Amino acid sequence: MATTPTTLTTPTTPTTPTTLKAGTSWDDAWRRCLAVAPEAFRDDRVLNLWNGAWHAEGRPLPATTPVDGTPIAGPPRLDASTAHQAVRASLDQHRAWRHIPLAERRARVAATLDALTQYRELLALLLVWEIGKPWRLAQADVDRAIDGVRWYVDGIDTMLGERTPLPGPVSNIASWNYPMSVLVHAVLVQALAGNAVIAKAPTDGGVSCLTLACALAAREAIPVTLVSGSGGQLSQALVRAPEIGCVSFVGGRDTGASVATDVADLGKRHILEQEGLNTWGIWNFTGWSELTATIPKLFDYGKQRCTAYPRFVVQRDAFDAFLAAYLPAVRTLRVGHPLAVADPSDPYPELDFGPLINAAKAKELSDQVAEAIDRGAVPLHRSSADPARFLPGQDTSAYVHPVTLLNPPPSSPLHHAEPFGPVDTIVLVDTEAELLAAMNASNGALVATLSTDDEQTYERLVPQIRAFKVGHGKPRSRGDREELFGGFGASWRGAFVGGELLIRAVTVGPAGERLPGNFPEYHLMP
């Protein structure tokens, strides 16, 4: 018999906000950036970093914050010719850096981590304004970068062994959602392993945070290049240029497929992390109180992350119990302005998420929801804005409030693709075969979870779920430190990463070595 779901206490409604927390405005953050790293910031723009110097080339793209639609610094977009110059200069840096003794590389990276720690709160504040992360999650992004790289600094001798740097620098092209814990983390570990590194600033957000982080690294003589520009303009330089030793990409399948074609044609080392529809299966399950407690955590950052779970595949006989566990939990979610308070001295708001990355994405997702409902999806839950979590009259066009749909139609993108926003979809199944087919709807995923009371059922079904990591009643994440990471099917191409695999992916080992990963000629699990 099903257990009674845990009843969640609805969070206390906050006092109506009227202002920003003291010292947290965009102007406050910008002034601090100018004071901390004047070499990288101008009064009205950020600069690009290449050949060991900061350059004012590039037309700044107008940008607004998703938090309230007001202007912030945009990326200074380079043209293709300048990008090629930057790549050639990075190769020169790479040829020098690869001969720097490991002890010195370790010391420089450790000094960079100390500097990032010193300016941790400023980096987090930039993330709030640039990509809309609530304060708690912005701090976590910074901390995961720092703590993760420290783990490599402490263990690099054993992981590196006799391995050598790549023939050329590593080119990093990453999405906007985790500038620190994904992009900066990767850049510093790649440099620690002996490579010069290139980072492309995401067009949609995070350029100021990345600029500050790269300025702190450059002061320690880490051979880092930071450039901005459109993929069409820079792909020849950052992906196809012969100087590049490895391409590391994090993003969607459409762009990733183009990058994959380029690197396959060139036989170039690559790490391509792409999206997949991560699913949570419910089969012969009664632990509803645990699920109720977990649901709010799955909405962190509005599900704008590669390991979010936007799809529940539920046994039809358990649907009533599932709803009794799910709906009270989703109704507790707190969405609002990440810095809005009633009094400037108040603590930061406690939120599950703030805005999506921009108003265009919010409209796109809202339109997809409306279209799915029009074509037959059943709306089970739709939240509305709580005025007590926003400033009076502020622009809220980038905010989408939680939505849950039953049975999105096959014609809807919500049926087969990751929404990258706070929209859950539920599919009902009657057999184990249907369960597996629904959980494998996107031809491969990064993570999945199966909630079942029977251990033998879990062990029998897990090998048939096409995800790199599968949890038993618990969510899986990208992981930190020693935890490996990769993807099945179209969600990943190239070398797997995480733990020692990240070092192996960006270094050269013994002749004939086959790296764990998904390659055109083979698939090898670690």
Side-chain angles (χ1 to χ4, degrees):
M1 180 175 293
T3 58
T4 302
T6 298
T7 300
L8 294 184
T9 301
T10 302
T12 303
T13 300
T15 304
T16 301
T18 59
T19 188
L20 299 179
K21 181 173 174 58
T24 65
S25 72
W26 172 255
D27 287 342
D28 291 327
W30 189 254
R31 283 193 294 269
R32 291 171 64 185
C33 289
L34 289 171
V36 172
E39 70 273 27
F41 293 83
R42 294 289 184 267
D43 288 340
D44 60 344
R45 62 178 293 170
V46 298
L47 306 183
N48 287 291
L49 171 63
W50 56 276
N51 198 26
W54 294 93
H55 299 265
E57 296 100 335
R59 179 178 59 85
L61 189 70
T64 58
T65 171
V67 171
D68 62 10
T70 55
I72 59 173
R77 305 179 71 168
L78 293 181
D79 58 28
S81 175
T82 308
H84 277 288
Q85 293 181 54
V87 169
R88 286 192 290 270
S90 182
L91 177 61
D92 292 338
Q93 289 180 308
H94 180 83
R95 288 169 170 165
W97 178 254
R98 63 179 295 155
H99 297 296
I100 297 292
L102 176 58
E104 185 174 344
R105 298 201 306 263
R106 185 196 294 112
R108 293 186 190 182
V109 172
T112 301
L113 297 178
D114 290 342
L116 294 174
T117 302
Q118 181 181 353
Y119 296 107
R120 166 182 178 264
E121 292 196 355
L122 176 54
L123 291 163
L125 183 58
L126 291 170
L127 292 181
V128 173
W129 282 109
E130 293 193 283
I131 62 174
K133 285 198 171 185
W135 182 248
R136 171 180 60 86
L137 299 178
Q139 286 186 302
D141 192 20
V142 177
D143 290 343
R144 285 182 62 189
I146 295 170
D147 295 343
V149 179
R150 285 198 193 280
W151 182 82
Y152 284 94
V153 168
D154 292 341
I156 187 61
D157 292 275
T158 301
M159 287 183 275
L160 200 56
E162 299 300 317
R163 305 184 69 85
T164 58
L166 295 171
V170 182
S171 176
N172 293 271
I173 304 168
S175 57
W176 44 264
N177 53 342
Y178 285 90
M180 292 295 297
S181 62
V182 173
L183 185 51
V184 171
H185 175 279
V187 161
L188 292 179
V189 174
Q190 293 160 3
L192 180 65
N195 303 290
V197 288
I198 303 168
K200 178 186 177 297
T203 301
D204 286 329
V207 64
S208 295
C209 178
L210 287 170
T211 299
L212 179 58
C214 288
L216 299 176
R219 287 179 180 179
E220 303 302 332
I222 303 292
V224 58
T225 294
L226 177 66
V227 294
S228 300
S230 70
Q233 283 284 313
L234 303 192
S235 62
Q236 282 289 331
L238 300 186
V239 176
R240 298 189 63 88
E243 293 91 342
I244 298 296
C246 175
V247 176
S248 177
F249 170 87
V250 179
R253 289 192 181 185
D254 290 343
T255 305
S258 175
V259 173
T261 299
D262 287 342
V263 295
D265 289 346
L266 299 168
K268 196 183 294 290
R269 183 77 63 91
H270 57 283
I271 305 161
L272 308 182
E273 176 187 331
Q274 300 170 113
E275 64 187 17
L277 184 62
N278 306 316
T279 59
W280 192 300
I282 306 287
W283 190 259
N284 292 340
F285 175 69
T286 59
W288 302 113
S289 59
E290 291 83 359
L291 181 64
T292 299
T294 299
I295 292 299
K297 301 173 186 176
L298 303 182
F299 279 86
D300 273 357
Y301 195 35
K303 301 205 173 193
Q304 295 179 102
R305 60 189 196 278
C306 64
T307 54
Y309 287 84
R311 167 68 50 81
F312 288 90
V313 181
V314 181
Q315 187 176 15
R316 191 181 306 272
D317 285 347
F319 185 46
D320 57 341
F322 172 82
L323 284 184
Y326 175 89
L327 290 176
V330 77
R331 288 170 183 148
T332 68
L333 293 170
R334 301 157 298 181
V335 183
H337 188 306
L339 302 170
V341 293
D343 185 274
S345 63
D346 285 348
Y348 289 93
E350 289 289 336
L351 301 173
D352 295 288
F353 61 93
L356 299 193
I357 186 58
N358 53 48
K361 173 61 182 177
K363 183 181 186 304
E364 174 191 282
L365 189 55
S366 297
D367 288 347
Q368 288 177 356
V369 168
E371 182 182 50
I373 293 172
D374 185 61
R375 295 182 180 180
V378 179
L380 298 176
H381 173 77
R382 281 188 279 192
S383 297
S384 56
D386 179 355
R389 299 192 185 277
F390 296 89
L391 292 175
Q394 78 161 84
D395 184 329
T396 59
S397 58
Y399 292 79
V400 172
H401 300 273
V403 177
T404 306
L405 302 179
L406 175 66
N407 290 336
S411 59
S412 169
L414 298 176
H415 179 79
H416 55 79
E418 182 180 18
F420 232 62
V423 176
D424 277 346
T425 57
I426 300 171
V427 173
L428 302 182
V429 294
D430 296 297
T431 67
E432 288 186 358
E434 290 178 330
L435 174 81
L436 292 169
M439 292 190 71
N440 293 330
S442 68
N443 183 28
L446 304 177
V447 296
T449 290
L450 178 61
S451 289
T452 181
D453 294 344
D454 183 51
E455 184 71 34
Q456 291 184 342
T457 298
Y458 175 80
E459 295 297 337
R460 177 167 50 82
L461 295 180
V462 161
Q464 302 174 72
I465 298 173
R466 291 180 56 77
F468 187 80
K469 297 180 182 180
V470 181
H472 189 179
K474 298 183 183 300
R476 299 304 307 270
S477 69
R478 200 176 197 275
D480 296 298
R481 303 176 180 85
E482 70 274 6
E483 192 169 357
L484 308 182
F485 193 56
F488 265 70
S491 70
W492 196 283
R493 300 170 190 259
F496 295 148
V497 296
E500 66 173 351
L501 292 189
L502 176 52
I503 298 298
R504 291 173 65 182
V506 296
T507 54
V508 177
E513 178 184 47
R514 284 160 52 99
L515 295 174
N518 300 328
F519 295 92
E521 62 274 15
Y522 72 88
H523 165 77
L524 179 63
M525 289 296 291

